[in-house]
């Protein structure tokens, strides 16, 4: 009897650990996504996160991947110009995961992001957004196929 309790406890622990690991991976994906795309403005990383046929809906504007790449590039150029003026611009993202649901080779997720902006360590703005995304798995990699972000108060 004691043997069955120990084995049962071990199996339950493994199941709970697997669920927490699965959840952590998706959280890590989006933390990296916001850091590399919205903070570092690295357009070269877009392919790591988006499928080729991605649809991006951001604050009432519809983008395909090429158009969104152009937007990221424009923001990068703007911040590089400001840096030449001697200003140190920083963005910090705080993500609050609301829910995600995984199916066999797809998943959808919803989250809130509070992005705080500083220039030379002085707070200048905070933007709060509500995000939803639909991801698909291709070749063992998860890619965003549909991304929707709206600013909220």
């Amino acid at each position: 009897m004691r043997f069955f309790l120990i084995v049962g406890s071990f199996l339950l622990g493994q199941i709970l650990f697997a669920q927490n690991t699965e959840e952590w991976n998706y959280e890590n994906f989006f933390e990296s996504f916001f850091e590399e795309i919205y903070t570092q403005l690295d357009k070269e990383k877009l392919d790591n996160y988006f499928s080729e046929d991605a649809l991006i809906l951001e604050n009432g504007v519809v983008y395909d991947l090429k158009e969104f790449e152009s937007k990221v590039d424009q923001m990068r150029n703007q911040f590089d110009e400001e840096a030449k003026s001697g200003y140190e611009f920083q963005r910090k993202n705080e993500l609050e995961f609301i829910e995600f649901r995984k199916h066999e080779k797809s998943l959808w997720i919803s989250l809130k992001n509070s992005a705080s902006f500083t220039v030379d360590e002085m707070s200048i703005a905070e933007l709060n957004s509500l995000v939803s995304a639909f991801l698909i798995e291709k070749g063992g990699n998860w890619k965003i196929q549909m991304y929707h972000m709206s600013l909220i108060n």
Side-chain angles (χ1 to χ4, degrees):
M1 178 70 171
R2 184 175 175 184
F3 173 77
F4 290 114
L5 285 173
I6 292 171
V7 171
S9 296
F10 174 76
L11 291 175
L12 180 61
Q14 293 292 58
I15 290 168
L16 292 174
F17 176 76
Q19 289 175 346
N20 288 339
T21 302
E22 185 175 281
E23 180 178 342
W24 180 85
N25 286 336
Y26 298 119
E27 289 177 1
N28 187 51
F29 177 92
F30 276 93
E31 287 167 357
S32 297
F33 166 74
F34 276 95
E35 178 64 26
E36 292 180 344
I37 304 305
Y38 285 98
T39 300
Q40 297 172 9
L41 298 169
D42 188 348
K43 72 177 184 177
E44 302 301 320
K45 302 283 176 119
L46 288 170
D47 289 339
N48 294 347
Y49 297 100
F50 288 101
S51 65
E52 299 163 356
D53 61 344
L55 177 66
I56 300 147
L57 311 167
E58 190 174 83
N59 298 316
V61 180
V62 179
Y63 300 97
D64 64 18
L65 191 53
K66 244 342 170 201
E67 293 165 328
F68 191 67
E69 179 181 324
S70 178
K71 177 191 174 190
V72 171
D73 197 36
Q74 288 172 348
M75 289 189 301
R76 170 85 268 153
N77 291 337
Q78 178 185 351
F79 293 130
D80 287 348
E81 285 300 314
E82 291 182 21
K84 289 178 186 175
S85 302
Y87 296 108
E88 184 181 341
F89 178 83
Q90 292 185 337
R91 173 185 172 136
K92 184 175 184 327
N93 299 295
E94 298 238 0
L95 305 181
E96 176 188 335
F97 293 89
I98 300 168
E99 188 167 351
F100 75 85
R101 294 190 186 170
K102 183 177 182 279
H103 304 283
E104 287 183 24
K105 293 197 177 265
S106 65
L107 99 97
W108 64 261
I109 190 163
S110 57
L111 61 99
K112 290 181 184 175
N113 181 30
S114 293
S116 56
F117 299 87
T118 59
V119 172
D120 296 331
E121 297 183 21
M122 183 175 74
S123 178
I124 59 167
E126 184 171 314
L127 293 177
N128 297 301
S129 58
L130 188 60
V131 173
S132 61
F134 180 78
L135 290 81
I136 55 171
E137 182 186 13
K138 284 189 175 179
N141 295 313
W142 288 95
K143 301 283 184 161
I144 301 169
Q145 190 173 44
M146 192 284 303
Y147 176 80
H148 179 253
M149 191 266 292
S150 295
L151 292 176
I152 57 173
N153 291 331

